[in-house]
């Protein structure tokens, strides 16, 4: 354009400095206000107004500097449409980028809040399920103790001590996310000891575990309602001895498989799929923890009722269970 390099550099520095200031105004504005789809014309009006203000300030600053240079004043006036077009386009892109980033940030915050709410809801439901199991077992035990006090006081006293140990163990497990199979079986043995006092010689249990399953992990207090369901259907409608079998192994996919097997009489107590609060609560709990409906299955064959649960191990899970 025939101007000195100094004038061109000064014009560029002042104009681009104002443009950077415009970017900062855009960022600060749309950080606190995101126009809705039906109000996107606000964005056009905002960018147009800001462009006009920046070009006017640019003109006043350069006019004060080159007040005696008529040719530069004429050049600036003729370049106003180009300046406004370039600044408007850059402010528009900056505005869209800022709105997009802030929208994504806001969406992430909404997703985090939603996940937190869902997590709290799961925690509350899991806590409710676990708390419902204890009174159910406790009432049965107290009724048995009451029946034994008069005829077998020593057994009643033993049962009270065992019940105390069992409840103490359940309280300790309330805050645990995971427990090993060995620890869970030790806890389960307290429950079985109580039930053996109730049913005497009629109740036998056989526990068979592979050597590599003792350290595998599972949610605490998940086996007791399954075994309680097995005792219910195995002993309540029979008079003879009953054997409850518990087996555990690790399959080829790395899952911990635990099977609880009990005999039943199909004519008096045919166990339907998911019968009773115990199995339904375990299935619901496993779904809340692992988002899968196929981790508890039941099968009835040859007067034997088999309940199987599959527990993914912690390192296999994409989502850490909440208990």
């Amino acid at each position: 354009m025939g101007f000195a390099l100094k004038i061109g550099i000064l014009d560029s520095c002042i104009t681009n400095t104002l443009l950077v200031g415009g970017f900062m105004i855009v960022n600060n504005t749309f950080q606190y206000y995101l126009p809705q789809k039906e109000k996107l014309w606000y964005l056009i009006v905002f960018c147009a107004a800001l462009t006009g203000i920046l070009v006017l300030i640019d003109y006043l600053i350069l006019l004060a500097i080159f007040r005696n240079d008529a040719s530069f004043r004429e050049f600036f006036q003729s370049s106003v449409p180009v300046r406004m077009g370039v600044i408007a386009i850059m402010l528009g892109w900056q505005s869209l980028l800022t709105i997009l980033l802030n929208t994504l940030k806001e969406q992430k915050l909404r997703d985090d809040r939603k996940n937190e709410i869902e997590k709290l809801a799961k925690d509350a439901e899991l806590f409710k399920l676990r708390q419902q199991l204890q009174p159910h077992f406790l009432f049965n035990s107290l009724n048995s103790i009451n029946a034994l006090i008069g005829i077998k006081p020593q057994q009643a006293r033993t049962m009270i001590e065992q019940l105390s140990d069992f409840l103490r163990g359940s309280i300790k497990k309330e805050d645990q996310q995971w427990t090993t199979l060995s620890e869970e079986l030790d806890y389960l043995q307290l429950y079985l000891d109580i039930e053996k006092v109730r049913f005497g010689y009629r109740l036998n249990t056989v526990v068979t575990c592979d050597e590599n399953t003792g350290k595998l992990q599972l949610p605490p207090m998940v086996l007791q309602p399954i075994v309680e369901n097995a005792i219910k259907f195995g002993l309540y409608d029979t008079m003879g001895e009953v054997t409850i079998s518990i087996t555990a192994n690790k399959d080829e996919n790395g899952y911990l498989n635990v099977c609880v097997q009990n005999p039943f009489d199909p004519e008096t107590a045919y166990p339907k799929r998911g019968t009773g609060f115990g199995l339904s609560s375990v299935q619901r709990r496993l779904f809340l923890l692992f988002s899968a409906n196929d981790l508890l299955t039941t099968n009835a064959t040859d007067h034997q009722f088999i309940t199987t649960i599959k527990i993914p191990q912690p390192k296999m899970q994409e989502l850490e269970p909440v208990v």
Side-chain angles (χ1 to χ4, degrees):
M1 300 300 295
F3 293 100
L5 181 61
K6 179 181 178 180
I7 295 177
I9 292 176
L10 188 58
D11 183 7
S12 176
C13 289
I14 293 174
T15 303
N16 286 288
T17 299
L18 290 173
L19 184 59
V20 171
F23 289 163
M24 296 176 64
I25 293 174
V26 167
N27 290 338
N28 290 330
T29 300
F30 294 117
Q31 181 178 358
Y32 301 102
Y33 171 74
L34 294 177
Q36 304 300 318
K37 292 182 179 180
E38 63 275 8
K39 296 182 179 181
L40 287 179
W41 61 272
Y42 284 4
L43 176 62
I44 299 175
V45 173
F46 175 79
C47 291
L50 184 58
T51 298
I53 293 174
L54 292 179
V55 172
L56 178 60
I57 296 174
D58 191 24
Y59 176 71
L60 294 176
I61 294 175
L62 291 174
L63 182 63
I65 296 175
F66 303 109
R67 65 173 63 91
N68 297 324
D69 194 335
S71 60
F72 181 81
R73 187 184 306 112
E74 182 180 351
F75 160 73
F76 186 93
Q77 293 173 351
S78 63
S79 65
V80 166
V82 177
R83 292 173 187 265
M84 292 190 68
V86 172
I87 292 176
I89 291 173
M90 297 186 72
L91 288 177
W93 278 112
Q94 180 67 18
S95 299
L96 291 175
L97 180 61
T98 302
I99 291 174
L100 176 61
L101 293 177
N102 288 330
T103 300
L104 293 176
K105 181 179 179 180
E106 188 175 272
Q107 181 63 43
K108 184 179 183 301
L109 291 175
R110 285 198 297 266
D111 291 342
D112 290 342
R113 287 195 295 268
K114 180 181 178 181
N115 292 335
E116 184 65 21
I117 291 173
E118 291 177 352
K119 179 179 180 296
L120 291 174
K122 284 184 178 181
D123 288 345
E125 186 170 355
L126 285 167
F127 180 78
K128 180 181 178 181
L129 287 172
R130 288 171 58 172
Q131 293 303 308
Q132 285 175 323
L133 288 172
Q134 294 301 334
H136 181 265
F137 163 70
L138 183 59
F139 293 152
N140 289 339
S141 299
L142 291 176
N143 287 333
S144 298
I145 292 172
N146 182 57
L148 290 173
I149 288 177
I151 57 176
K152 297 180 180 179
Q154 182 57 41
Q155 287 190 3
R157 188 178 299 107
T158 300
M159 193 171 180
I160 291 174
E161 293 174 355
Q162 293 170 338
L163 180 60
S164 176
D165 291 338
F166 177 83
L167 294 177
R168 187 181 298 110
S170 66
I171 293 174
K172 291 180 179 179
K173 287 179 175 288
E174 284 295 327
D175 296 327
Q176 288 183 291
Q177 284 189 329
W178 292 98
T179 185
T180 64
L181 178 61
S182 297
E183 292 174 345
E184 184 72 0
L185 290 177
D186 290 341
Y187 176 74
L188 183 63
Q189 188 60 50
L190 293 173
Y191 166 74
L192 291 174
D193 290 340
I194 296 172
E195 294 296 75
K196 287 179 180 179
V197 174
R198 291 179 61 196
F199 295 102
Y201 73 93
R202 295 182 55 216
L203 176 59
N204 298 308
T205 57
V206 177
V207 180
T208 306
C209 299
D210 292 348
E211 294 182 358
N212 59 345
T213 59
K215 295 184 178 180
L216 295 183
Q217 296 182 308
L218 71 167
M221 301 167 60
V222 75
L223 295 182
Q224 185 262 330
I226 299 176
V227 175
E228 183 176 358
N229 186 78
I231 293 175
K232 173 183 177 182
F233 285 103
L235 278 82
Y236 282 17
D237 295 311
T238 62
M239 296 300 295
E241 295 185 25
V242 169
T243 299
I244 307 295
S245 299
I246 304 170
T247 60
N249 61 75
K250 183 178 181 181
D251 64 18
E252 62 276 6
N253 296 320
Y255 285 72
L256 169 62
N257 293 331
V258 181
C259 297
V260 179
Q261 181 174 335
N262 64 274
F264 75 99
D265 186 348
E267 295 182 357
T268 60
Y270 187 82
K272 299 178 181 179
R273 182 180 181 87
T275 299
F277 173 75
L279 294 189
S280 62
S281 67
V282 172
Q283 187 169 38
R284 179 59 179 167
R285 185 179 174 194
L286 293 176
F287 173 77
L288 291 173
L289 294 176
F290 307 109
S291 300
N293 280 316
D294 60 347
L295 298 180
L296 184 147
T297 57
T298 58
N299 186 32
T301 57
D302 298 330
H303 292 212
Q304 292 289 320
F305 187 72
I306 304 173
T307 304
T308 304
I309 59 171
K310 298 192 301 181
I311 306 296
Q313 294 305 289
K315 62 181 180 181
M316 300 169 53
Q317 301 160 31
E318 295 180 0
L319 296 177
E320 181 177 325
V322 273
V323 180

